[in-house]
Amino acid sequence: GAGVSQSPRYKVAKRGQDVALRCDPISGHVSLFWYQQALGQGPEFLTYFQNEAQLDKSGLPSDRFFAERPEGSVSTLKIQRTQQEDSAVYLCASSLARGSTYEQYFGPGTRLTVT
Amino acid sequence: GDSVTQMEGPVTLSEEAFLTINCTYTATGYPSLFWYVQYPGEGLQLLLKATKADDKGSNKGFEATYRKETTSFHLEKGSVQVSDSAVYFCARDSSYKLIFGSGTRLLVRP
């Protein structure tokens, strides 16, 4: 079946622009995660949804970052007034349910470059 | 806080060589441990996992054993192939989220 998809795959934004990154999880997956992967580093947790509820946003680096999942399926990560330090690959993952018993399936990521 | 430390790369090996990539984790709680792999141009894929002490995860010829006494989860393969060239990430869970190491790039030469 279809895996996790993300769009766009690449995004170039000028400093100060707003961007929106989309994630389509695997159908039926309750849990959805966003991670940020800086160049040469491992992914770092940003936020977690269970269905439409955002249960943890402790990893969001600033109030310029906002995520939503209004119908418990597709999720959007929005970054306002982008800065150069926001340049990274943004990964979305979904899992059938909460807990490490359930594998997190990752999308291909969106590479954001802020110029 | 919870963290994972893995050996820096790149690791360059000849085909059929033995591979070890070291990984240690902070010992808070009773984490599950994972190895993920990222092939060029592809997303992260789960390679193997172990959920409790002394468990051995294995897949595609790779193995890792959950060592609580040394807080380690080293990845091994007896004979690497060119197709194993990728970036490998060690991770532990922290509640429902994953904490990753910084990744180790493996390059296997023919």
Side-chain angles (χ1 to χ4, degrees):
Chain A
V4 178
S5 61
Q6 294 186 244
S7 61
R9 291 291 309 278
Y10 303 90
K11 177 69 178 177
V12 178
K14 292 186 177 179
R15 188 162 56 95
Q17 283 184 332
D18 298 348
V19 297
L21 312 180
R22 177 187 170 106
C23 172
D24 283 84
I26 294 172
S27 178
H29 277 197
V30 166
S31 296
L32 186 146
F33 305 82
W34 284 98
Y35 293 85
Q36 181 190 57
Q37 186 176 14
L39 187 64
Q41 300 297 314
E44 292 191 359
F45 171 80
L46 293 178
T47 187
Y48 163 64
F49 290 85
Q50 185 169 302
N51 294 308
E52 69 278 3
Q54 189 176 20
L55 299 186
D56 186 345
K57 53 182 181 179
S58 63
L60 296 177
S62 78
D63 59 7
R64 297 185 294 104
F65 287 70
F66 172 77
E68 60 183 5
R69 193 186 185 197
E71 298 179 357
S73 179
V74 171
S75 178
T76 304
L77 177 66
K78 297 179 179 177
I79 309 173
Q80 297 177 325
R81 304 180 304 280
T82 53
Q83 303 295 313
Q84 283 196 318
E85 62 263 28
D86 300 335
S87 295
V89 176
Y90 291 85
L91 299 172
C92 177
S94 71
S95 67
L96 192 58
R98 174 175 169 158
S100 60
T101 303
Y102 301 96
E103 180 180 345
Q104 291 188 29
Y105 294 84
F106 283 80
T110 295
R111 182 178 297 276
L112 172 65
T113 303
V114 181
T115 60
Chain B
D2 295 333
S3 66
V4 172
T5 303
Q6 61 183 106
M7 63 188 285
E8 289 190 17
V11 173
T12 303
L13 296 173
S14 297
E15 204 164 23
E16 299 183 2
F18 184 85
L19 169 71
T20 300
I21 300 178
N22 291 337
C23 171
T24 57
Y25 63 94
T26 50
T28 52
Y30 301 93
S32 293
L33 302 174
F34 308 83
W35 277 99
Y36 278 81
V37 59
Q38 190 169 39
Y39 296 105
E42 298 184 17
L44 277 169
Q45 301 173 25
L46 179 64
L47 180 60
L48 54 84
K49 74 175 188 180
T51 58
K52 61 182 187 298
D54 300 323
D55 267 3
K56 177 184 286 187
S58 61
N59 186 25
K60 299 181 180 179
F62 291 89
E63 293 183 341
T65 300
Y66 191 141
R67 301 285 189 200
K68 186 178 178 182
E69 63 276 12
T70 54
T71 63
S72 65
F73 192 56
H74 304 323
L75 183 68
E76 297 180 336
K77 187 175 185 181
S79 176
V80 293
Q81 306 300 312
V82 172
S83 58
D84 294 327
S85 298
V87 182
Y88 293 82
F89 293 91
C90 184
R92 60 156 288 169
D93 64 354
S94 178
S95 188
Y96 42 78
K97 58 193 172 191
L98 294 173
I99 308 294
F100 288 88
S102 57
T104 302
R105 181 175 300 277
L106 171 65
L107 175 62
V108 181
R109 294 179 170 165

